[in-house]
Amino acid sequence: MAPNLGKLFRDAYSSALLVFCTVIIMSAIFMENTKIGKDVHPWLSFCLLWGGLAWLSMVEGGQASLVGLPPVDMALYEASHPISHKIMTVINKGDNLDRYLMGRQFLVLALVFLENLAGHPVDESRVILGMPLWVNKALLGTGLGLFFMTAMIGKISAQVNASRCMLDYVNTYFALFTMYVSMAIEISGLLHCCYLAQIIFAWAAGQTLESKEEPRTGVQSIFFWARVLLSLAILVFAFAVT
């Protein structure tokens, strides 16, 4: 079978771009030209950036796995993938998949924010590796360098691999921990104003929201709407100070 030259070319220049972006961002970090690297220490910036990318890859790959696994009979992988089975026991209960998805979205944004603090340069005019200034501005000043690292390492590759190996990808305690963190974020109520938006849109469309759970009790309703009000207050405050 003849090699696909177009694919080989795309793979080569994409890999070269990733390596180049990684090199210049690491250089900026150890030149103390990022916020955390300058204010604290370059090694902290380095560890936070790569730790954030690693966790982001689990969050993104975990989503692809946990969204795809519900139709699969859990008995088929209970013995072979015990941690995946444990995760899906939680996810398949009631509306927990929706709760997980809401929490993981906040976690994605938080990790990207952390990566920006750790890897984005504070002085865009500072020459890195003796390259022309326009290279700095094109990849560092615009954020494209960090964007390519995040997309290639933390997001797209993780989603592609997880979609093909769903059970294997989440059969780790790291995936279990990430799932519980996402659920905890949702329980905190930080994003409950999204439920209010969902209710309003469903009402405007004349549709009824479907749930896999029994109607809320009085205490559950109070707890739910209290978190909605808290989330709205946070949103209004964020708008006010932005």
Side-chain angles (χ1 to χ4, degrees), residues 131-154:
M131 295 183 297
L133 188 58
W134 68 265
V135 176
N136 286 22
K137 292 187 177 296
L139 291 176
L140 293 180
T142 63
L144 278 176
L146 192 57
F147 167 81
F148 284 127
M149 281 188 67
T150 301
M152 295 181 190
I153 299 174

Side-chain angles (χ1 to χ4, degrees), residues 144-175:
L144 278 176
L146 192 57
F147 167 81
F148 284 127
M149 281 188 67
T150 301
M152 295 181 190
I153 299 174
K155 296 179 73 70
I156 298 173
S157 59
Q159 292 173 350
V160 171
N161 289 328
S163 67
R164 298 175 63 89
C165 311
M166 292 184 286
L167 284 171
D168 294 323
Y169 202 94
V170 293
N171 194 44
T172 66
Y173 286 106
F174 189 22

Side-chain angles (χ1 to χ4, degrees), residues 95 98 208-212:
D95 296 327
D98 293 335
T208 302
L209 291 176
E210 297 182 1
S211 174
K212 299 177 183 178

Side-chain angles (χ1 to χ4, degrees), residues 41 64 68 86 93 121 149 159 161 181 210 236:
H41 198 279
K86 186 174 183 178
K93 184 177 180 181
M149 281 188 67
Q159 292 173 350
N161 289 328
V181 170
E210 297 182 1
V236 170

Side-chain angles (χ1 to χ4, degrees), residues 11 41 50 96 100 162 171 181 219 225 229:
D11 290 347
H41 198 279
W50 286 104
N96 280 349
Y100 160 77
N171 194 44
V181 170
V219 174
W225 287 107
L229 291 175

